[in-house]
Amino acid sequence: TRTCAGRPAGCTQLLLVMIVGDDFRVALVEASYVARVPDFEVGGTAHSAAEAVRLAAELRPDLVLLDEYLPDATGSSVIGRLDAAVIVISAADDAVSVQRALARGAINYLVKPFAPSVLVDRLNAFARFHRLLAGDRRLDQTDVDRAMFVLHEGALPTASMPTGLWAWTPHTIRSALRIAGVA
């Protein structure tokens, strides 16, 4: 159990997240999103499949945010070797990639680009899911069904952004036009 030093009252355990992606800038952005969510902490970042497997064995994260496109292998090819819950975050938007990642054990799949709030929603849902399954106790089917429902309640359909755009892009453009006196 990790402590919650410096975290909000009521925090009983920090969930350790590992971020895996070939682009260090994207990993930094994802880490900044994770840092804003109570009860989560980024423990490390890997930039290849081999590094991800090594670092996961060392850190033992609760959750891995995993890109499908890595320089030495696909992200989905290492899901089973990470020994953690995995959310794939990738520009790989083809059905085969999504099916493969889910079949190999990913608990969720986010297609880039997406609004930051989408990741926050998935993280909060994972925290609730994790709490429902915490401890060493017997579960009945109702417990399992409730946990699965909670895990995916943060995955309600949202509007996706066209490739190359982020949720804040339209606001930024409008602001720039206003400043320039055009709008």
Side-chain angles (χ1 to χ4, degrees):
T1 301
R2 298 164 181 100
T3 62
C4 295
R7 293 293 180 139
C11 176
T12 56
Q13 178 183 8
L14 285 177
L15 296 171
L16 190 64
V17 177
M18 184 175 90
I19 298 173
V20 181
D22 63 328
D23 187 330
F24 75 93
R25 294 166 298 220
V26 173
L28 287 172
V29 170
E30 291 173 3
S32 73
Y33 296 160
V34 172
R36 295 180 200 154
V37 181
D39 302 338
F40 283 88
E41 176 178 55
V42 176
T45 303
H47 301 294
S48 70
E51 187 182 5
V53 171
R54 182 194 58 72
L55 189 58
E58 179 185 316
L59 293 176
R60 299 173 23 131
D62 299 296
L63 178 65
V64 176
L65 303 182
L66 177 66
D67 193 353
E68 179 67 2
Y69 298 131
L70 298 173
D72 55 342
T74 62
S76 60
S77 71
V78 297
I79 290 173
R81 296 171 44 206
L82 298 176
D83 195 25
V86 173
I87 296 175
V88 174
I89 299 179
S90 182
D93 60 358
D94 61 285
V96 172
S97 293
V98 174
Q99 290 171 11
R100 183 177 47 234
L102 295 173
R104 291 181 177 171
I107 61 168
N108 218 314
Y109 196 106
L110 292 176
V111 176
K112 294 176 187 176
F114 53 85
S117 62
V118 173
L119 178 56
V120 170
D121 289 346
R122 298 308 197 289
L123 292 172
N124 284 320
F126 176 76
R128 290 189 301 275
F129 167 81
H130 191 269
R131 282 191 299 271
L132 284 171
L133 297 180
D136 184 19
R137 61 188 171 87
R138 298 187 65 78
L139 303 172
D140 63 23
Q141 189 60 50
T142 302
D143 296 325
V144 174
D145 291 344
R146 183 177 297 117
M148 294 305 293
F149 175 79
V150 164
L151 177 61
H152 294 288
E153 71 182 345
L156 296 174
T158 58
S160 61
M161 301 298 292
T163 300
L165 294 180
W166 291 91
W168 57 83
T169 301
H171 173 72
T172 303
I173 292 170
R174 280 191 297 276
S175 296
L177 291 173
R178 235 180 278 119
I179 291 168
V182 178

